Amino acid sequence: MTIEQLWDEPLNGWMKGEGPDSDIVLSSRIRLARNFDQIPFPNRASDEVLANVMAELRKSVADLSNQDNRSYLFIDMEKLEPLERNVLVEKHIISPSHVQEPVNRALIVRDDAAVAILINEEDHLRVQCLLPGLNLPETLALANEVDDILEARHSFAFHEQVGYVTACPTNVGTGLRASVMIHLPALVLTKQINRIIGAATQIGLTVRGLYGEGSEAVGNIFQISNQLTLGQNEQEIASNLQAVVKQVVGQERAAREALLRDSKDMLADRVWRAYGVLRYARSISGQEALALLSEVRLGIDLNLIDEAPPTIFNELLVISRPNFLQKVAGIAEIHPAERDVLRAQVIRGKLTEFKGGNKDA
Amino acid sequence: MLCDDCQKRPASVHITQITNNQKIDKHLCNQCAQAYGDIAFSLDSKFSVHDFLKNMFYSGAAENVPAKSGKACANCGMTYHDFSRTGKFGCSACYSTFGDHVEPLLRRIHGVSTHTGKLPRRTGATLELKQRIKKLRNDLERHIVQEKYEEAAKIRDEIRGLEKELLSPVSEEGNI
């Protein structure tokens, strides 16, 4: 992988693979928070300390590459253009808070972006692993492997009673946040989603929008994650979430079947209208694009639309984000109205690439 | 408290609605809250987990934490006041410095205060031994209370063995 591919290609390597239930679950993610012993956490560290942490962790790049025969890149956040940093956020490689202060912040990323290590975010390092579909146990295994490789060189802060210590006490213990990104159009359409969000909250899970803390659930995409990091071990946290999500997937499938059975014509009309707008619109906002893409994906999943492959959804999800759009077009500054025109144009171009059989034609 | 709308079920959701600069506060049950749909469940982007934490601290400070505890972390200089303001610790040593406050805090957040997951490999072997010894000591006491002296003697020998192991340098291969 060259560094450019991170920005120029909409799909990261890991996204090209297939995973269990990947028609509904877009990705499984595991994040481990780790810190160095005695060294002030990033919120209290001087520039010098932060620079040392960066230099120290840079040494692990070679260890990682040697262990799993993949190439890893070390990226100094300060050396990136703001636009490039924002594209990494849009692609879920780094968190929104990692771009707020780029000085002395860094990223180690595997060639397929399945592994990303954020340096000097809220904690000294956060190991993030992403795999397609609903596959938390395997994602956890990968994160543990990376953690072990890092630990072979570095000594992480560990408290005998409370476990791995973190800047924020909500992450202490395992330092583990497991989450899945899940597409639930039928549960939204049948107005069952609030019930499910309520139930998930009661058993210690959090349900949020596409870009994490405080973001809206645009495009019917939700993130479900564990709230507590202490008390249960890593495998328990991952398998609990896996079991709950499995049930949500079942509910979504049942809702889809019910929709198809009871109101197929309405549904077909709805998803084809969404397709029509995307296919012919001359200006489209990011929000509208996401909402319509979600409907088109539902249409593809239910075999109502066969003019485009399901992967188009994941691809256009990234392509239609403002910073990616701008980066690929190679424009430094763009007016929002012009960006909407550009977005419509790119989406039209993508959809014309596929001219499969049309069931109704 | 009963739900403001139906007056039947207990209220579990607090809703603040602002319409034309008029603020209305309501305490609703789950069912009635559903009727508010988007208003009730829309996400407030300005409120984060840290705000919750701060509130936890302030409520805790009133009960069991002396308001003027001048203790500062010897390693990073953070005071407890700094912490209750930001909701973040300054370094790993803070967890020991403010140990008395950490335990009830973790209980409030997580319901428990003891880690049961992964141990770091580097220090993990020692920690595991310590945990095993701790558990055996508890067993030992229980057996003595129950006057099961024969079994207690066995456990005591096991503890001695483990303590010896703890003192010897840890070999890479583990226990030989």
Side-chain angles (χ1 to χ4, degrees), chain A residues 37-38 41 43-44 144 147-148 151-152 160-161 166-167 169 215 229 231 234, chain B residues 43 75-76 89-90 92 95 110 113 115-118 120-122 127 130:
Chain A
D37 205 17
Q38 306 287 320
F41 295 146
N43 71 73
R44 234 187 142 73
N144 267 330
D147 184 40
D148 290 343
E151 233 215 332
E160 238 173 85
Q161 192 197 337
T166 50
S215 69
T229 55
E234 289 79 359
Chain B
L43 298 151
N75 186 48
C76 73
F89 282 114
S92 57
Y95 278 83
H110 299 275
S113 61
H115 174 62
T116 58
K118 185 172 182 174
R121 215 178 264 176
R122 205 175 277 270
L127 283 172
K130 281 189 188 166

PDB file of all heavy atoms in Angstrom, chain A residues 37-38 41 43-44 144 147-148 151-152 160-161 166-167 169 215 229 231 234, chain B residues 43 75-76 89-90 92 95 110 113 115-118 120-122 127 130:
ATOM      1  N   ASP A  37       3.536   3.568  31.863  1.00  0.00           N
ATOM      2  CA  ASP A  37       3.534   3.755  33.314  1.00  0.00           C
ATOM      3  C   ASP A  37       4.249   5.063  33.665  1.00  0.00           C
ATOM      4  O   ASP A  37       5.285   5.381  33.071  1.00  0.00           O
ATOM      5  CB  ASP A  37       4.257   2.555  33.955  1.00  0.00           C
ATOM      6  CG  ASP A  37       3.793   2.330  35.374  1.00  0.00           C
ATOM      7  OD1 ASP A  37       2.724   2.860  35.739  1.00  0.00           O
ATOM      8  OD2 ASP A  37       4.500   1.622  36.116  1.00  0.00           O
ATOM      9  N   GLN A  38       3.689   5.792  34.615  1.00  0.00           N
ATOM     10  CA  GLN A  38       4.286   7.013  35.176  1.00  0.00           C
ATOM     11  C   GLN A  38       4.345   8.211  34.209  1.00  0.00           C
ATOM     12  O   GLN A  38       4.508   9.340  34.635  1.00  0.00           O
ATOM     13  CB  GLN A  38       5.721   6.754  35.703  1.00  0.00           C
ATOM     14  CG  GLN A  38       5.835   5.612  36.709  1.00  0.00           C
ATOM     15  CD  GLN A  38       5.259   5.977  38.074  1.00  0.00           C
ATOM     16  OE1 GLN A  38       5.443   7.090  38.545  1.00  0.00           O
ATOM     17  NE2 GLN A  38       4.533   5.054  38.675  1.00  0.00           N
ATOM     18  N   PHE A  41      -0.463  11.355  31.070  1.00  0.00           N
ATOM     19  CA  PHE A  41      -1.369  11.078  29.957  1.00  0.00           C
ATOM     20  C   PHE A  41      -1.379  12.287  29.014  1.00  0.00           C
ATOM     21  O   PHE A  41      -1.085  13.408  29.442  1.00  0.00           O
ATOM     22  CB  PHE A  41      -2.788  10.838  30.481  1.00  0.00           C
ATOM     23  CG  PHE A  41      -2.927   9.606  31.349  1.00  0.00           C
ATOM     24  CD1 PHE A  41      -3.824   9.588  32.406  1.00  0.00           C
ATOM     25  CD2 PHE A  41      -2.187   8.454  31.092  1.00  0.00           C
ATOM     26  CE1 PHE A  41      -3.977   8.457  33.205  1.00  0.00           C
ATOM     27  CE2 PHE A  41      -2.331   7.319  31.885  1.00  0.00           C
ATOM     28  CZ  PHE A  41      -3.225   7.327  32.948  1.00  0.00           C
ATOM     29  N   ASN A  43      -3.487  14.399  28.077  1.00  0.00           N
ATOM     30  CA  ASN A  43      -4.140  15.631  28.521  1.00  0.00           C
ATOM     31  C   ASN A  43      -3.266  16.442  29.480  1.00  0.00           C
ATOM     32  O   ASN A  43      -3.543  17.592  29.774  1.00  0.00           O
ATOM     33  CB  ASN A  43      -5.508  15.320  29.152  1.00  0.00           C
ATOM     34  CG  ASN A  43      -5.395  14.633  30.510  1.00  0.00           C
ATOM     35  OD1 ASN A  43      -5.033  15.233  31.509  1.00  0.00           O
ATOM     36  ND2 ASN A  43      -5.680  13.330  30.546  1.00  0.00           N
ATOM     37  N   ARG A  44      -2.179  15.830  29.996  1.00  0.00           N
ATOM     38  CA  ARG A  44      -1.346  16.515  30.974  1.00  0.00           C
ATOM     39  C   ARG A  44       0.123  16.504  30.577  1.00  0.00           C
ATOM     40  O   ARG A  44       0.979  16.924  31.365  1.00  0.00           O
ATOM     41  CB  ARG A  44      -1.510  15.824  32.327  1.00  0.00           C
ATOM     42  CG  ARG A  44      -1.902  16.794  33.410  1.00  0.00           C
ATOM     43  CD  ARG A  44      -1.905  16.209  34.776  1.00  0.00           C
ATOM     44  NE  ARG A  44      -1.404  17.175  35.744  1.00  0.00           N
ATOM     45  CZ  ARG A  44      -2.089  18.236  36.152  1.00  0.00           C
ATOM     46  NH1 ARG A  44      -3.287  18.470  35.675  1.00  0.00           N
ATOM     47  NH2 ARG A  44      -1.568  19.073  37.032  1.00  0.00           N
ATOM     48  N   ASN A 144      -5.625  -8.518  20.257  1.00  0.00           N
ATOM     49  CA  ASN A 144      -4.750  -9.097  21.276  1.00  0.00           C
ATOM     50  C   ASN A 144      -3.364  -9.391  20.723  1.00  0.00           C
ATOM     51  O   ASN A 144      -2.364  -9.183  21.388  1.00  0.00           O
ATOM     52  CB  ASN A 144      -5.362 -10.388  21.827  1.00  0.00           C
ATOM     53  CG  ASN A 144      -6.184 -10.105  23.076  1.00  0.00           C
ATOM     54  OD1 ASN A 144      -5.890  -9.170  23.825  1.00  0.00           O
ATOM     55  ND2 ASN A 144      -7.214 -10.907  23.285  1.00  0.00           N
ATOM     56  N   ASP A 147      -1.581  -6.157  20.484  1.00  0.00           N
ATOM     57  CA  ASP A 147      -1.256  -5.731  21.853  1.00  0.00           C
ATOM     58  C   ASP A 147      -0.032  -6.492  22.372  1.00  0.00           C
ATOM     59  O   ASP A 147       0.865  -5.906  22.978  1.00  0.00           O
ATOM     60  CB  ASP A 147      -2.475  -5.975  22.752  1.00  0.00           C
ATOM     61  CG  ASP A 147      -2.262  -5.475  24.171  1.00  0.00           C
ATOM     62  OD1 ASP A 147      -1.675  -4.392  24.343  1.00  0.00           O
ATOM     63  OD2 ASP A 147      -2.691  -6.161  25.111  1.00  0.00           O
ATOM     64  N   ASP A 148      -0.001  -7.807  22.100  1.00  0.00           N
ATOM     65  CA  ASP A 148       1.132  -8.616  22.564  1.00  0.00           C
ATOM     66  C   ASP A 148       2.440  -8.188  21.892  1.00  0.00           C
ATOM     67  O   ASP A 148       3.490  -8.154  22.537  1.00  0.00           O
ATOM     68  CB  ASP A 148       0.873 -10.108  22.298  1.00  0.00           C
ATOM     69  CG  ASP A 148      -0.221 -10.666  23.208  1.00  0.00           C
ATOM     70  OD1 ASP A 148      -0.526 -10.003  24.224  1.00  0.00           O
ATOM     71  OD2 ASP A 148      -0.771 -11.740  22.885  1.00  0.00           O
ATOM     72  N   GLU A 151       3.497  -5.053  23.453  1.00  0.00           N
ATOM     73  CA  GLU A 151       3.889  -5.269  24.837  1.00  0.00           C
ATOM     74  C   GLU A 151       5.243  -5.941  24.962  1.00  0.00           C
ATOM     75  O   GLU A 151       5.906  -5.823  25.993  1.00  0.00           O
ATOM     76  CB  GLU A 151       2.835  -6.163  25.500  1.00  0.00           C
ATOM     77  CG  GLU A 151       2.306  -5.581  26.761  1.00  0.00           C
ATOM     78  CD  GLU A 151       2.012  -6.670  27.760  1.00  0.00           C
ATOM     79  OE1 GLU A 151       1.722  -7.793  27.347  1.00  0.00           O
ATOM     80  OE2 GLU A 151       2.091  -6.362  28.941  1.00  0.00           O
ATOM     81  N   ALA A 152       5.656  -6.629  23.896  1.00  0.00           N
ATOM     82  CA  ALA A 152       6.956  -7.275  23.935  1.00  0.00           C
ATOM     83  C   ALA A 152       8.056  -6.216  24.053  1.00  0.00           C
ATOM     84  O   ALA A 152       9.136  -6.466  24.575  1.00  0.00           O
ATOM     85  CB  ALA A 152       7.155  -8.120  22.681  1.00  0.00           C
ATOM     86  N   GLU A 160      -2.780  -3.450  39.806  1.00  0.00           N
ATOM     87  CA  GLU A 160      -3.118  -4.799  40.257  1.00  0.00           C
ATOM     88  C   GLU A 160      -4.618  -5.042  40.404  1.00  0.00           C
ATOM     89  O   GLU A 160      -5.123  -6.086  40.067  1.00  0.00           O
ATOM     90  CB  GLU A 160      -2.448  -5.064  41.601  1.00  0.00           C
ATOM     91  CG  GLU A 160      -1.547  -6.257  41.549  1.00  0.00           C
ATOM     92  CD  GLU A 160      -0.769  -6.409  42.827  1.00  0.00           C
ATOM     93  OE1 GLU A 160      -1.305  -7.006  43.764  1.00  0.00           O
ATOM     94  OE2 GLU A 160       0.375  -5.916  42.865  1.00  0.00           O
ATOM     95  N   GLN A 161      -5.325  -4.052  40.929  1.00  0.00           N
ATOM     96  CA  GLN A 161      -6.757  -4.254  41.136  1.00  0.00           C
ATOM     97  C   GLN A 161      -7.602  -3.792  39.954  1.00  0.00           C
ATOM     98  O   GLN A 161      -8.500  -4.506  39.510  1.00  0.00           O
ATOM     99  CB  GLN A 161      -7.218  -3.534  42.397  1.00  0.00           C
ATOM    100  CG  GLN A 161      -8.626  -3.963  42.788  1.00  0.00           C
ATOM    101  CD  GLN A 161      -9.280  -3.014  43.755  1.00  0.00           C
ATOM    102  OE1 GLN A 161      -8.600  -2.280  44.463  1.00  0.00           O
ATOM    103  NE2 GLN A 161     -10.584  -3.000  43.769  1.00  0.00           N
ATOM    104  N   THR A 166      -6.371   4.127  32.407  1.00  0.00           N
ATOM    105  CA  THR A 166      -6.612   5.007  31.277  1.00  0.00           C
ATOM    106  C   THR A 166      -6.893   6.417  31.785  1.00  0.00           C
ATOM    107  O   THR A 166      -7.210   6.599  32.959  1.00  0.00           O
ATOM    108  CB  THR A 166      -7.864   4.537  30.505  1.00  0.00           C
ATOM    109  OG1 THR A 166      -8.923   4.354  31.451  1.00  0.00           O
ATOM    110  CG2 THR A 166      -7.618   3.229  29.791  1.00  0.00           C
ATOM    111  N   ALA A 167      -6.801   7.395  30.894  1.00  0.00           N
ATOM    112  CA  ALA A 167      -7.024   8.785  31.304  1.00  0.00           C
ATOM    113  C   ALA A 167      -8.436   8.941  31.858  1.00  0.00           C
ATOM    114  O   ALA A 167      -8.649   9.557  32.894  1.00  0.00           O
ATOM    115  CB  ALA A 167      -6.800   9.714  30.119  1.00  0.00           C
ATOM    116  N   PRO A 169     -11.729   7.357  33.581  1.00  0.00           N
ATOM    117  CA  PRO A 169     -12.063   6.144  34.344  1.00  0.00           C
ATOM    118  C   PRO A 169     -13.152   5.271  33.706  1.00  0.00           C
ATOM    119  O   PRO A 169     -13.353   4.151  34.130  1.00  0.00           O
ATOM    120  CB  PRO A 169     -12.531   6.686  35.698  1.00  0.00           C
ATOM    121  CG  PRO A 169     -12.783   8.127  35.518  1.00  0.00           C
ATOM    122  CD  PRO A 169     -11.966   8.584  34.358  1.00  0.00           C
ATOM    123  N   SER A 215     -23.094  11.750  17.416  1.00  0.00           N
ATOM    124  CA  SER A 215     -23.439  11.931  16.006  1.00  0.00           C
ATOM    125  C   SER A 215     -24.811  11.326  15.702  1.00  0.00           C
ATOM    126  O   SER A 215     -25.304  10.465  16.415  1.00  0.00           O
ATOM    127  CB  SER A 215     -22.368  11.307  15.112  1.00  0.00           C
ATOM    128  OG  SER A 215     -22.390   9.912  15.222  1.00  0.00           O
ATOM    129  N   THR A 229     -16.155  -1.319  30.951  1.00  0.00           N
ATOM    130  CA  THR A 229     -14.883  -1.926  30.557  1.00  0.00           C
ATOM    131  C   THR A 229     -14.260  -2.710  31.700  1.00  0.00           C
ATOM    132  O   THR A 229     -13.207  -3.303  31.551  1.00  0.00           O
ATOM    133  CB  THR A 229     -13.888  -0.834  30.125  1.00  0.00           C
ATOM    134  OG1 THR A 229     -13.780   0.117  31.194  1.00  0.00           O
ATOM    135  CG2 THR A 229     -14.358  -0.119  28.877  1.00  0.00           C
ATOM    136  N   GLY A 231     -14.680  -5.431  35.108  1.00  0.00           N
ATOM    137  CA  GLY A 231     -15.509  -6.466  35.737  1.00  0.00           C
ATOM    138  C   GLY A 231     -15.608  -7.709  34.875  1.00  0.00           C
ATOM    139  O   GLY A 231     -15.384  -8.801  35.351  1.00  0.00           O
ATOM    140  N   GLU A 234     -12.219  -9.684  28.535  1.00  0.00           N
ATOM    141  CA  GLU A 234     -12.325  -9.257  27.138  1.00  0.00           C
ATOM    142  C   GLU A 234     -13.244 -10.156  26.328  1.00  0.00           C
ATOM    143  O   GLU A 234     -14.063  -9.684  25.541  1.00  0.00           O
ATOM    144  CB  GLU A 234     -10.927  -9.218  26.493  1.00  0.00           C
ATOM    145  CG  GLU A 234     -10.012  -8.105  26.978  1.00  0.00           C
ATOM    146  CD  GLU A 234      -9.343  -8.389  28.329  1.00  0.00           C
ATOM    147  OE1 GLU A 234      -9.597  -9.470  28.923  1.00  0.00           O
ATOM    148  OE2 GLU A 234      -8.583  -7.529  28.807  1.00  0.00           O
TER     149      GLU A 234
ATOM    150  N   LEU B  43     -30.005  12.920  19.784  1.00  0.00           N
ATOM    151  CA  LEU B  43     -28.777  12.960  20.554  1.00  0.00           C
ATOM    152  C   LEU B  43     -28.292  14.390  20.697  1.00  0.00           C
ATOM    153  O   LEU B  43     -28.220  15.129  19.728  1.00  0.00           O
ATOM    154  CB  LEU B  43     -27.713  12.111  19.848  1.00  0.00           C
ATOM    155  CG  LEU B  43     -28.090  10.642  19.743  1.00  0.00           C
ATOM    156  CD1 LEU B  43     -27.460  10.020  18.515  1.00  0.00           C
ATOM    157  CD2 LEU B  43     -27.686   9.903  20.983  1.00  0.00           C
ATOM    158  N   ASN B  75       3.562  12.391  41.054  1.00  0.00           N
ATOM    159  CA  ASN B  75       4.167  12.135  39.750  1.00  0.00           C
ATOM    160  C   ASN B  75       3.811  13.195  38.710  1.00  0.00           C
ATOM    161  O   ASN B  75       4.673  13.673  37.978  1.00  0.00           O
ATOM    162  CB  ASN B  75       3.739  10.755  39.266  1.00  0.00           C
ATOM    163  CG  ASN B  75       4.449  10.352  37.992  1.00  0.00           C
ATOM    164  OD1 ASN B  75       5.667  10.468  37.882  1.00  0.00           O
ATOM    165  ND2 ASN B  75       3.674   9.894  37.014  1.00  0.00           N
ATOM    166  N   CYS B  76       2.525  13.601  38.636  1.00  0.00           N
ATOM    167  CA  CYS B  76       2.137  14.528  37.570  1.00  0.00           C
ATOM    168  C   CYS B  76       1.569  15.844  38.096  1.00  0.00           C
ATOM    169  O   CYS B  76       1.274  16.745  37.325  1.00  0.00           O
ATOM    170  CB  CYS B  76       1.143  13.873  36.616  1.00  0.00           C
ATOM    171  SG  CYS B  76      -0.495  13.678  37.325  1.00  0.00           S
ATOM    172  N   PHE B  89      -7.853  11.536  34.549  1.00  0.00           N
ATOM    173  CA  PHE B  89      -6.677  11.462  35.402  1.00  0.00           C
ATOM    174  C   PHE B  89      -5.457  11.971  34.644  1.00  0.00           C
ATOM    175  O   PHE B  89      -5.468  12.072  33.414  1.00  0.00           O
ATOM    176  CB  PHE B  89      -6.441  10.019  35.853  1.00  0.00           C
ATOM    177  CG  PHE B  89      -7.367   9.594  36.963  1.00  0.00           C
ATOM    178  CD1 PHE B  89      -8.316   8.610  36.757  1.00  0.00           C
ATOM    179  CD2 PHE B  89      -7.276  10.186  38.214  1.00  0.00           C
ATOM    180  CE1 PHE B  89      -9.167   8.223  37.777  1.00  0.00           C
ATOM    181  CE2 PHE B  89      -8.123   9.804  39.243  1.00  0.00           C
ATOM    182  CZ  PHE B  89      -9.074   8.826  39.022  1.00  0.00           C
ATOM    183  N   GLY B  90      -4.379  12.271  35.411  1.00  0.00           N
ATOM    184  CA  GLY B  90      -3.184  12.834  34.790  1.00  0.00           C
ATOM    185  C   GLY B  90      -2.130  11.809  34.423  1.00  0.00           C
ATOM    186  O   GLY B  90      -1.369  12.008  33.476  1.00  0.00           O
ATOM    187  N   SER B  92      -0.692   7.328  35.357  1.00  0.00           N
ATOM    188  CA  SER B  92      -1.043   6.050  35.970  1.00  0.00           C
ATOM    189  C   SER B  92      -0.933   6.112  37.492  1.00  0.00           C
ATOM    190  O   SER B  92      -1.682   5.445  38.204  1.00  0.00           O
ATOM    191  CB  SER B  92      -0.152   4.937  35.414  1.00  0.00           C
ATOM    192  OG  SER B  92       1.212   5.254  35.627  1.00  0.00           O
ATOM    193  N   TYR B  95      -3.959   6.844  39.975  1.00  0.00           N
ATOM    194  CA  TYR B  95      -4.872   5.797  40.436  1.00  0.00           C
ATOM    195  C   TYR B  95      -4.501   5.332  41.850  1.00  0.00           C
ATOM    196  O   TYR B  95      -5.356   4.911  42.612  1.00  0.00           O
ATOM    197  CB  TYR B  95      -4.895   4.616  39.465  1.00  0.00           C
ATOM    198  CG  TYR B  95      -5.809   4.860  38.279  1.00  0.00           C
ATOM    199  CD1 TYR B  95      -5.368   5.587  37.179  1.00  0.00           C
ATOM    200  CD2 TYR B  95      -7.122   4.394  38.279  1.00  0.00           C
ATOM    201  CE1 TYR B  95      -6.203   5.829  36.103  1.00  0.00           C
ATOM    202  CE2 TYR B  95      -7.961   4.634  37.209  1.00  0.00           C
ATOM    203  CZ  TYR B  95      -7.503   5.349  36.123  1.00  0.00           C
ATOM    204  OH  TYR B  95      -8.337   5.593  35.068  1.00  0.00           O
ATOM    205  N   HIS B 110     -18.873   1.479  36.873  1.00  0.00           N
ATOM    206  CA  HIS B 110     -18.894   0.126  36.307  1.00  0.00           C
ATOM    207  C   HIS B 110     -19.672  -0.888  37.152  1.00  0.00           C
ATOM    208  O   HIS B 110     -19.864  -2.023  36.735  1.00  0.00           O
ATOM    209  CB  HIS B 110     -17.460  -0.399  36.145  1.00  0.00           C
ATOM    210  CG  HIS B 110     -16.611   0.415  35.216  1.00  0.00           C
ATOM    211  ND1 HIS B 110     -16.603   0.238  33.848  1.00  0.00           N
ATOM    212  CD2 HIS B 110     -15.754   1.432  35.446  1.00  0.00           C
ATOM    213  CE1 HIS B 110     -15.766   1.094  33.290  1.00  0.00           C
ATOM    214  NE2 HIS B 110     -15.230   1.835  34.240  1.00  0.00           N
ATOM    215  N   SER B 113     -15.164  -2.846  40.966  1.00  0.00           N
ATOM    216  CA  SER B 113     -13.897  -2.108  40.930  1.00  0.00           C
ATOM    217  C   SER B 113     -12.699  -3.033  40.743  1.00  0.00           C
ATOM    218  O   SER B 113     -11.573  -2.651  40.968  1.00  0.00           O
ATOM    219  CB  SER B 113     -13.744  -1.292  42.217  1.00  0.00           C
ATOM    220  OG  SER B 113     -13.717  -2.161  43.328  1.00  0.00           O
ATOM    221  N   HIS B 115     -10.622  -5.661  38.120  1.00  0.00           N
ATOM    222  CA  HIS B 115     -10.378  -6.146  36.765  1.00  0.00           C
ATOM    223  C   HIS B 115     -10.253  -7.666  36.764  1.00  0.00           C
ATOM    224  O   HIS B 115      -9.575  -8.227  37.628  1.00  0.00           O
ATOM    225  CB  HIS B 115      -9.083  -5.505  36.264  1.00  0.00           C
ATOM    226  CG  HIS B 115      -8.613  -5.999  34.937  1.00  0.00           C
ATOM    227  ND1 HIS B 115      -9.353  -5.848  33.785  1.00  0.00           N
ATOM    228  CD2 HIS B 115      -7.464  -6.627  34.563  1.00  0.00           C
ATOM    229  CE1 HIS B 115      -8.681  -6.363  32.768  1.00  0.00           C
ATOM    230  NE2 HIS B 115      -7.542  -6.842  33.208  1.00  0.00           N
ATOM    231  N   THR B 116     -10.910  -8.313  35.820  1.00  0.00           N
ATOM    232  CA  THR B 116     -10.805  -9.775  35.764  1.00  0.00           C
ATOM    233  C   THR B 116     -10.287 -10.250  34.408  1.00  0.00           C
ATOM    234  O   THR B 116     -10.283 -11.436  34.123  1.00  0.00           O
ATOM    235  CB  THR B 116     -12.187 -10.441  35.995  1.00  0.00           C
ATOM    236  OG1 THR B 116     -13.089  -9.944  34.998  1.00  0.00           O
ATOM    237  CG2 THR B 116     -12.737 -10.127  37.363  1.00  0.00           C
ATOM    238  N   GLY B 117      -9.852  -9.312  33.585  1.00  0.00           N
ATOM    239  CA  GLY B 117      -9.465  -9.680  32.215  1.00  0.00           C
ATOM    240  C   GLY B 117      -7.973  -9.914  32.044  1.00  0.00           C
ATOM    241  O   GLY B 117      -7.279 -10.360  32.958  1.00  0.00           O
ATOM    242  N   LYS B 118      -7.496  -9.542  30.868  1.00  0.00           N
ATOM    243  CA  LYS B 118      -6.121  -9.788  30.452  1.00  0.00           C
ATOM    244  C   LYS B 118      -5.090  -9.220  31.431  1.00  0.00           C
ATOM    245  O   LYS B 118      -5.287  -8.151  32.004  1.00  0.00           O
ATOM    246  CB  LYS B 118      -5.936  -9.122  29.076  1.00  0.00           C
ATOM    247  CG  LYS B 118      -4.598  -9.379  28.422  1.00  0.00           C
ATOM    248  CD  LYS B 118      -4.587  -8.850  26.978  1.00  0.00           C
ATOM    249  CE  LYS B 118      -3.252  -9.156  26.328  1.00  0.00           C
ATOM    250  NZ  LYS B 118      -3.232  -8.807  24.900  1.00  0.00           N
ATOM    251  N   PRO B 120      -0.982  -8.162  31.623  1.00  0.00           N
ATOM    252  CA  PRO B 120       0.153  -7.958  30.721  1.00  0.00           C
ATOM    253  C   PRO B 120       1.178  -9.070  30.900  1.00  0.00           C
ATOM    254  O   PRO B 120       1.416  -9.511  32.027  1.00  0.00           O
ATOM    255  CB  PRO B 120       0.719  -6.600  31.143  1.00  0.00           C
ATOM    256  CG  PRO B 120       0.089  -6.261  32.426  1.00  0.00           C
ATOM    257  CD  PRO B 120      -1.125  -7.107  32.601  1.00  0.00           C
ATOM    258  N   ARG B 121       1.746  -9.523  29.800  1.00  0.00           N
ATOM    259  CA  ARG B 121       2.644 -10.669  29.863  1.00  0.00           C
ATOM    260  C   ARG B 121       3.856 -10.384  30.750  1.00  0.00           C
ATOM    261  O   ARG B 121       4.302 -11.212  31.510  1.00  0.00           O
ATOM    262  CB  ARG B 121       3.110 -10.997  28.444  1.00  0.00           C
ATOM    263  CG  ARG B 121       3.278 -12.480  28.238  1.00  0.00           C
ATOM    264  CD  ARG B 121       3.674 -12.771  26.833  1.00  0.00           C
ATOM    265  NE  ARG B 121       2.512 -13.116  26.005  1.00  0.00           N
ATOM    266  CZ  ARG B 121       2.605 -13.332  24.703  1.00  0.00           C
ATOM    267  NH1 ARG B 121       3.751 -13.187  24.077  1.00  0.00           N
ATOM    268  NH2 ARG B 121       1.543 -13.666  24.013  1.00  0.00           N
ATOM    269  N   ARG B 122       4.378  -9.155  30.612  1.00  0.00           N
ATOM    270  CA  ARG B 122       5.598  -8.782  31.308  1.00  0.00           C
ATOM    271  C   ARG B 122       5.473  -8.945  32.830  1.00  0.00           C
ATOM    272  O   ARG B 122       6.300  -9.540  33.481  1.00  0.00           O
ATOM    273  CB  ARG B 122       5.881  -7.316  30.988  1.00  0.00           C
ATOM    274  CG  ARG B 122       7.289  -6.911  31.083  1.00  0.00           C
ATOM    275  CD  ARG B 122       7.370  -5.478  30.622  1.00  0.00           C
ATOM    276  NE  ARG B 122       7.438  -5.380  29.168  1.00  0.00           N
ATOM    277  CZ  ARG B 122       8.580  -5.370  28.503  1.00  0.00           C
ATOM    278  NH1 ARG B 122       9.706  -5.451  29.148  1.00  0.00           N
ATOM    279  NH2 ARG B 122       8.606  -5.269  27.195  1.00  0.00           N
ATOM    280  N   LEU B 127       1.603 -11.160  38.818  1.00  0.00           N
ATOM    281  CA  LEU B 127       0.263 -10.770  39.252  1.00  0.00           C
ATOM    282  C   LEU B 127      -0.641 -11.975  39.414  1.00  0.00           C
ATOM    283  O   LEU B 127      -1.411 -12.074  40.359  1.00  0.00           O
ATOM    284  CB  LEU B 127      -0.357  -9.822  38.223  1.00  0.00           C
ATOM    285  CG  LEU B 127       0.155  -8.395  38.260  1.00  0.00           C
ATOM    286  CD1 LEU B 127      -0.388  -7.613  37.080  1.00  0.00           C
ATOM    287  CD2 LEU B 127      -0.270  -7.727  39.561  1.00  0.00           C
ATOM    288  N   LYS B 130       0.136 -13.681  42.594  1.00  0.00           N
ATOM    289  CA  LYS B 130      -0.393 -12.923  43.727  1.00  0.00           C
ATOM    290  C   LYS B 130      -1.889 -13.147  43.879  1.00  0.00           C
ATOM    291  O   LYS B 130      -2.399 -13.299  44.993  1.00  0.00           O
ATOM    292  CB  LYS B 130      -0.116 -11.425  43.544  1.00  0.00           C
ATOM    293  CG  LYS B 130       1.293 -11.014  43.894  1.00  0.00           C
ATOM    294  CD  LYS B 130       1.398  -9.497  43.888  1.00  0.00           C
ATOM    295  CE  LYS B 130       2.824  -9.033  44.039  1.00  0.00           C
ATOM    296  NZ  LYS B 130       2.966  -7.614  43.709  1.00  0.00           N
TER     297      LYS B 130
END
